[in-house]
Amino acid sequence: METDALLVRRAASGDADAFEALVQASQHRIYALCLRMTGSPQDAQDLAQEALLRIYRSLSSFREQANFDTWAYRIATNACIDELRRRKRSELLSMEALQEAGHELPSQAPCPEEAAIRRENLEELQRAILQLPADQRAAVVLRDVQGLSYEQVANALDLNLNTVKSRICRGRQRLQGILSQHRNNCAKLSSNG
Amino acid sequence: MDCKDCKELIGRYLADALDEMQTGELRAHIAHCEDCAREEAQLRQLIFDLGALGEDIRAPESLMQGVREAILHDKAPAKAKRSRRSWSSWRIAGAAAAAVAVVLLSGTLVLGALGSGLGAGASQAATAGSSDGYAADDAYVEKSMLAPAAAPEPTFMAAAEVPAEEGESASVTADSAMRDTGAGSGDAVTSSNSQAQSTGEEYGLKIIRTAEVYVHSDNFDEDRDAITALVQELGGYITSQHASGTALEPGENGYGRSLSLTVRIPSDSLDAFLSQSEGVGVVQESSIYEEDVTDQYFDTERRLEGYQTQYDRILALMDKAETVDELISIESELNRIYYQIESLTGSLQSWDARVNYSTVYYNLEEVRRASPVSLTLWERMQVSLQNTWDSIVLGSQNFVVWLYGALPALGLLLVLAGVAGLTVALCLRRHRRRAKAPKEEEPADGDKRKR
Ligand SMILES: [Zn+2]
């Protein structure tokens, strides 16, 4: 951990190598988070870069007795959520606009064949995640995809533990609802056709 | 317990949000209800699948390359902030020359000033000596001189002797300051400052209240408009909204559209909002959380004052510096303190914003037929129990604060009460002895006689 402190100091003075060494381990986790929150590798990379830069720019507020990875992950999570909210706000200003765009929503995914491959299931799941409201999405992704504990999620999102549990619970139920709706639609289609 | 309740409980159970009793009831039901057992299995499968989504993801190499380029582009971290106030070395040299000149010219005059009350005078000299390099900072200097505890008694402290900041609370405040650089909070911060005093409660307690509401609606458009209107009516505003899903087709069941709002409501109106919003849709779940940040708030305020004093003191040292090296080390110390001040100020503002404006996470979900959740009697009892408990906790915290303040008076009271109690006890004992003495002795004598 002492090396961390040293690296932080070096990175804070503008040493890019030191910074790279510092986030060597956590960059993958941060990228994974961004990928699952956005569903697109390109967006994920932009978002992860933004998050890493925010970490870099916040180095001066890092306290040496804190755990660097936890601290960095928390900043990255916030950067990710802020960015998503910002985008959503510009994209989805009105419900009307959304309803018009409704037909192009990613939920209208191709239906998997009967012997659905696991990969397709996961893709379907990823599309369903994108339909969650940003707050629920963040909570579910952090807990279930990234494997954080409820306490860690609460800490990362700066929320009360009960709020987090409730949000995760709602998020999962909603995911379940979206998935079963999709499967029903597919079942109807295949029985009609 | 019917199956509809059960579905709700399964979700909570898997989110680790049920107590033992509820868990017991749930397991008992699931043990002989195939539907609910399937429901549970499906939800577990979902969670398992979600976990698989997180496996084996590696960032592309181009990620770090991009970061690297961006870093090289903006040099040292926080450069954007620092550049406003950092001096290029020739300016420092200029400032040094000017400062030396000032010292030489005004000779004994300045030395005299150093001996007495130097504070403001020295910082003015420093400002004047480096006028063009310093111009950008004037606003800040003014601010720090307005601070209540500004430079009471200048002591000459070498930059290295400046005490290191305490760690624990610092990480908390830095984190929350960071959190609040986020979207939406900016406007709140500015608007709240004017309100900070008025809503700052008579007891000076800083309580952040957050509410979360889940509503089912079978009249989505109307309910959405109603809630938006209610927010405006109560002087609140919507910081973010997220809409998803498509409208339910006639006869279609399940979920339709959903709308998640993050709403800021003046804390005074939070209760009004929650009670009036019960008229919108069918509330499935509604909860309030309270967080008492009083201690952190005042602790931060105190530390901020400390840093502001330090800043002024070190600024005053600028005038005494004789070499460029000294000036540079003073400048870097000033920079360091400046960041602390910035971060602490940010925390205070963010707390003010969150204390004055409660946050409500409001979720509206379109369903075919909205009906109240029947199990909520038990849950509502629990919520109210939790609220009662919270207010007891809050109450007892207030009590402790009060107790601390009233300690001296209490001590006196205690002594008086002790004296009074002692007197009464003595009197009583005397009375009792008089009354009981004969009775007590009689049986004792009787015993002896028997033996
Ligand atoms: Zn059942």
Side-chain angles (χ1 to χ4, degrees), chain A residues 160, chain B residues 207-210 288-292 387 390-391 394:
Chain A
N160 177 297
Chain B
I207 310 283
I208 295 172
R209 297 172 80 202
T210 308
I288 304 185
Y289 309 114
E290 290 189 339
E291 187 189 355
D292 184 351
N387 286 344
D390 285 349
S391 59
L394 187 67

Side-chain angles (χ1 to χ4, degrees), chain B residues 21-36:
Chain B
M21 186 176 159
Q22 290 170 310
T23 307
E25 285 177 28
L26 178 69
R27 298 255 54 112
H29 175 93
I30 288 180
H32 48 259
C33 175
E34 240 173 75
D35 280 353
C36 290

Side-chain angles (χ1 to χ4, degrees), chain B residues 353-392:
Chain B
R354 292 194 288 161
V355 167
N356 294 326
Y357 278 81
S358 299
T359 307
V360 181
Y361 301 104
Y362 188 91
N363 303 275
L364 192 64
E365 295 186 326
E366 184 182 28
V367 291
R368 173 60 44 214
R369 186 163 294 111
S371 57
V373 186
S374 56
L375 90 148
T376 48
L377 177 63
W378 168 247
E379 288 204 325
R380 281 198 188 131
M381 278 162 60
Q382 288 223 308
V383 167
S384 88
L385 194 69
Q386 179 66 38
N387 286 344
T388 315
W389 174 246
D390 285 349
S391 59
I392 290 173

Side-chain angles (χ1 to χ4, degrees), chain A residues 20 45 57 74 76 79 93 97 101 104-105 119 190:
Chain A
E20 193 169 341
Q45 181 162 351
R57 295 192 182 114
R74 183 173 170 173
L93 272 181
E104 294 152 36
L105 277 178
R119 207 175 67 91
S190 59

Side-chain angles (χ1 to χ4, degrees), chain B residues 9 37 234 244 249 251 254 265 288 296 364 377 387 398 401 416:
Chain B
L9 283 181
L234 293 173
S244 59
E249 301 290 331
I265 295 275
I288 304 185
Q296 298 105 296
L364 192 64
L377 177 63
N387 286 344
N398 294 350
V401 171
L416 286 177

Side-chain angles (χ1 to χ4, degrees), chain B residues 99-100 102-103 110 114 118 122 125-126 314-321 330:
Chain B
V100 169
V102 169
V103 171
V110 170
L114 284 176
L118 145 130
I314 293 173
L315 203 59
L317 285 178
M318 194 69 103
D319 206 42
K320 282 199 68 192
I330 289 177

